Amino acid sequence: MIIKKQHFVPRCYLENFANPKGQIYVMARGKGSIYPANIKDIAQQSYFNDFPIEFLTEEYKEKEKSQILEKNLSKYENEFKNDLNHIMNCLENMEQYGYPSEVVDQEFKSYFSFFLALQLVRTMSQRQKFQNMMQDISDLTSKSERFRTKNQEYPEFSIPEPINSSQSINFNGFKVSVEKDANAQHLFFISDILDREANSEIAKIFANYIWFFRINSTSIPLLTSDNPIVIKPYQNHGFGINSYGVQVAYPISPKYLLVMHENSFWSDLKSFDRKRVNLTKNCVISHNKLQKDQCYRQVYSVKGFS
């Protein structure tokens, strides 16, 4: 079966933010327009995970075979849904009965970090970063070519070969547009995360964070977006996920928020790792602002926007 609408934020995750009618409210960035939508129609793009035809061997040029990455992503989404449900069930039981003391164990934390890494890299925001990077490389290559025509002693500029992945399709350097090249490089990057799972570098960084599961008991629902993992830097130490003092937040539902703290600056919090903490109204407002500021194009809510 050919899959046209391909989500870069999984539908099983977006379902947690839908209202009882199965609708989710959408606010477009910078426009302020708000409208209800079906989750099948948001955070997706036609053939988003299909490799550009120029990068395919003859074996994979059939449309169905070219969707190898989309199909591999789909295989993991049932596991992801089960893990999300496990977290929410644990938090509900803790609210009702007061136990266990930790929401998840270390093994669960390590594997769920793989899903977080996958979500971080698979978005449209990340694709735009790849396009910007490849455009910069293209511009630099053009400048170096022009310079070499004037100075033959200038060293040749070369672009490193991409990493091939068993989850993706091997290719040999085609000359394609910057956009297609960037899209392919992005897909290979996602494939590499799929290959390594919890052993990917990003997953290991997340697993090494100090995790708080924060409970929203206010009247304001937590928002999510088409770029749901948001980053709060510490002072001027940067937005990198391994930056000193950084905090990374991921809303699980309108009620539950996972907040991860870089563990060197926040070392005093290690004894609270994987435990639950209540959210204040100001914290909810602050998180929702991060979602609005760091979304790609859309922010999502279960019941509208305040």
Side-chain angles (χ1 to χ4, degrees):
M1 182 181 70
I2 303 301
I3 305 168
K4 180 178 180 180
K5 289 185 177 181
Q6 299 179 5
H7 283 74
F8 41 86
V9 178
R11 288 175 61 175
C12 64
Y13 167 79
L14 294 170
E15 286 171 357
N16 291 342
F17 294 84
N19 63 24
K21 295 180 180 180
Q23 293 180 323
I24 196 167
Y25 287 89
V26 180
M27 182 170 70
R29 181 173 186 170
K31 296 181 180 179
S33 57
I34 300 170
Y35 57 92
N38 190 296
I39 56 174
K40 69 182 177 62
D41 297 321
I42 62 172
Q44 57 82 27
Q45 181 170 294
S46 295
Y47 307 116
F48 183 74
N49 294 312
D50 287 16
F51 282 84
I53 192 72
E54 292 87 348
F55 289 84
L56 302 179
T57 61
E58 288 300 322
E59 179 186 1
Y60 286 97
K61 286 189 177 179
E62 294 178 22
K63 194 63 177 175
E64 189 168 352
K65 289 185 178 180
S66 74
Q67 299 196 323
I68 181 173
L69 180 58
E70 172 66 17
K71 290 173 181 177
N72 279 314
L73 286 167
S74 297
K75 288 177 185 177
Y76 284 99
E77 288 182 5
N78 276 338
E79 293 180 47
F80 176 52
K81 181 178 182 178
N82 290 337
D83 284 354
L84 287 172
N85 288 337
H86 174 74
I87 291 170
M88 290 189 290
N89 288 338
C90 285
L91 286 166
E92 288 169 6
N93 287 336
M94 291 174 81
E95 284 189 272
Q96 187 172 357
Y97 304 112
Y99 63 85
S101 60
E102 294 170 345
V103 180
V104 298
D105 60 26
Q106 188 61 47
E107 182 180 0
F108 183 98
K109 179 181 174 182
S110 295
Y111 194 69
F112 194 71
S113 292
F114 156 58
F115 292 120
L116 295 173
L118 196 57
Q119 179 58 85
L120 181 73
V121 303
R122 68 185 284 189
T123 62
M124 183 64 82
S125 295
Q126 286 295 321
R127 176 153 302 178
Q128 187 63 58
K129 289 178 182 178
F130 270 83
Q131 290 176 359
N132 293 342
M133 179 182 68
M134 297 304 293
Q135 187 61 58
D136 289 343
I137 291 173
S138 177
D139 293 344
L140 182 57
T141 303
S142 297
K143 289 177 183 177
S144 68
E145 289 289 345
R146 290 196 298 269
F147 189 87
R148 278 201 301 275
T149 61
K150 298 179 181 180
N151 183 354
Q152 296 300 318
E153 296 179 359
Y154 188 75
E156 183 177 353
F157 178 83
S158 62
I159 302 172
E161 289 293 321
I163 298 172
N164 288 322
S165 162
S166 63
Q167 295 280 357
S168 59
I169 302 161
N170 295 333
F171 70 97
N172 297 311
F174 294 96
K175 190 171 183 179
V176 296
S177 68
V178 168
E179 181 179 355
K180 287 183 178 180
D181 196 8
N183 291 354
Q185 299 297 335
H186 180 223
L187 296 174
F188 277 107
F189 190 52
I190 297 170
S191 299
D192 187 59
I193 301 290
L194 283 173
D195 276 349
R196 299 173 187 270
E197 295 188 350
N199 290 317
S200 71
E201 289 306 310
I202 297 174
K204 286 191 286 188
I205 290 170
F206 282 151
N208 202 35
Y209 280 165
I210 298 162
W211 288 21
F212 283 164
F213 291 90
R214 309 200 69 171
I215 299 174
N216 175 21
S217 299
T218 76
S219 60
I220 305 171
L222 290 163
L223 305 181
T224 191
S225 71
D226 53 9
N227 185 45
I229 296 180
V230 294
I231 297 173
K232 182 180 180 181
Y234 173 66
Q235 295 182 355
N236 62 345
H237 289 279
F239 280 83
I241 60 168
N242 217 14
S243 298
Y244 182 68
V246 73
Q247 297 176 63
V248 178
Y250 177 65
I252 293 170
S253 74
K255 186 175 182 179
Y256 301 126
L257 176 68
L258 170 60
V259 181
M260 300 174 285
H261 299 71
E262 184 273 328
N263 68 353
S264 57
F265 177 81
W266 300 99
S267 59
D268 290 347
L269 301 177
K270 285 184 179 179
S271 61
F272 298 97
D273 187 32
R274 294 173 280 128
K275 296 185 178 178
R276 65 185 179 111
V277 181
N278 288 328
L279 275 169
T280 65
K281 182 177 180 180
N282 285 342
C283 286
V284 174
I285 292 170
S286 177
H287 167 76
N288 287 348
K289 184 177 186 303
L290 284 176
Q291 288 291 336
K292 292 174 183 177
D293 291 344
Q294 296 183 27
C295 74
Y296 180 69
R297 286 183 178 165
Q298 295 178 336
V299 185
Y300 309 127
S301 174
V302 69
K303 65 173 187 180
F305 299 84
S306 56

